[in-house]
Amino acid sequence: MADTLVDDYDVVDVLHRLVEHCVQLLDATVAGLMLSDQHGGLRVVAYSSAQTRMLELFQLQASEGPCLDCVHSGEAVLVADLSTETQRWPRFAPLAIKEGFSSVHAVPMRLRRETIGTLNLFRRETGLLSEEDVLVVRALADTATIGILQERAIRRGEVVTEQLQTALNSRVVIEQAKGVLAFAGNVEMEPAFNALRGYARNNGRRLADVAREVVTGELRPEDLLTLQPRRTDS
């Protein structure tokens, strides 16, 4: 959890460690984690073994299984014996049983009303996890949710910060270009800015890019100032 509070942590690595901890700490054979993507689908993000990944991917391909039910309902799906669920999941249940699994626990990763994924435990034995283990699974799912949403918030913050900084940097360059044009053409700052903006519009260019080229000398002032009135000093 502490790792997720810094701005450069690796969210995928954190989630992989999380599912590994589930296997180490709890009465689970394997564990996996699915997350919702931006288009409303699900993706397998972390898994403790290749077999887990196969089970998770098969649920997505078959459009059925405990993990999908968990995400869609926002409620935990706890199955003590998969052999009793062949009508509910006619494709997934037989495959999971064939792979040697007898029970499954899918816990939603949710914050208030938003369900962003599911933490899934598969066991070779029938029966439910103990009440204590279920509490731990829920706590780990909550930890993962907070970490992911923290990472999303950081990324959103970075995007906003970058956009703001870009705007500020562009403004500085534009002011510099206005000064170059005003000096070179002996014009006031307003006409210099109009010349800069007019050139950008007429050529389908970004104002900041044109300004930068004026400052670096890639564009000559006279190319922009031909129609601007000169300053008259008293």
Side-chain angles (χ1 to χ4, degrees):
M1 183 60 189
D3 287 344
T4 69
L5 299 178
V6 299
D7 60 2
D8 59 351
Y9 85 99
D10 186 336
V11 63
V12 175
D13 179 61
V14 169
L15 297 180
H16 269 285
R17 281 192 286 157
L18 178 68
V19 296
E20 290 171 352
H21 288 325
C22 285
V23 174
Q24 295 167 3
L25 296 172
L26 306 171
D27 185 19
T29 306
V30 295
L33 190 148
M34 288 185 180
L35 289 181
S36 300
D37 61 23
Q38 295 178 343
H39 306 290
L42 285 172
R43 294 192 181 185
V44 180
V45 176
Y47 41 88
S48 64
S49 69
Q51 193 177 28
T52 320
R53 181 173 182 270
M54 183 273 293
L55 287 172
E56 303 280 48
L57 288 175
F58 185 80
Q59 291 185 77
L60 298 179
Q61 294 171 354
S63 298
E64 65 172 48
C67 305
L68 274 69
D69 287 0
C70 178
V71 170
H72 294 156
S73 69
E75 301 294 335
V77 176
L78 310 178
V79 177
D81 189 346
L82 276 169
S83 66
T84 65
E85 303 295 335
T86 53
Q87 290 188 344
R88 184 180 183 184
W89 305 311
R91 298 180 65 189
F92 170 76
L95 176 70
I97 293 169
K98 181 180 178 181
E99 291 295 322
F101 296 101
S102 300
S103 59
V104 61
H105 297 70
V107 177
M109 298 166 56
R110 55 187 297 184
L111 182 65
R112 300 182 182 91
R113 297 182 179 179
E114 181 179 11
T115 301
I116 65 169
T118 175
L119 178 58
N120 316 303
L121 308 181
F122 298 91
R123 304 172 68 237
R124 296 201 182 280
E125 301 80 14
T126 57
L128 297 176
L129 291 175
S130 67
E131 184 177 344
E132 292 80 5
D133 277 3
V134 171
L135 289 174
V136 173
V137 174
R138 291 185 183 276
L140 291 173
D142 289 344
T143 298
T145 302
I146 293 170
I148 292 166
L149 295 181
Q150 167 74 3
E151 194 264 352
R152 288 184 181 179
I154 289 171
R155 287 188 178 277
R156 288 171 184 159
E158 287 176 347
V159 170
V160 171
T161 300
E162 289 171 0
Q163 290 172 335
L164 290 174
Q165 192 59 50
T166 297
L168 293 172
N169 292 342
S170 297
R171 188 71 250 179
V172 171
V173 173
I174 289 169
E175 292 300 322
Q176 292 173 341
K178 284 165 59 179
V180 171
L181 294 176
F183 179 81
N186 192 30
V187 297
E188 301 287 351
M189 295 295 279
E190 184 175 351
F193 179 67
N194 290 337
L196 190 67
R197 185 168 58 180
Y199 184 91
R201 288 180 175 177
N202 292 337
N203 291 276
R205 303 283 307 283
R206 292 180 56 202
L207 182 60
D209 293 339
V210 173
R212 193 169 293 106
E213 291 180 8
V214 169
V215 172
T216 59
E218 295 177 61
L219 275 175
R220 298 179 304 170
E222 53 265 37
D223 293 335
L224 287 74
L225 291 167
T226 51
L227 299 178
Q228 297 303 315
R230 291 186 176 276
R231 177 171 54 199
T232 56
D233 296 320
S234 56

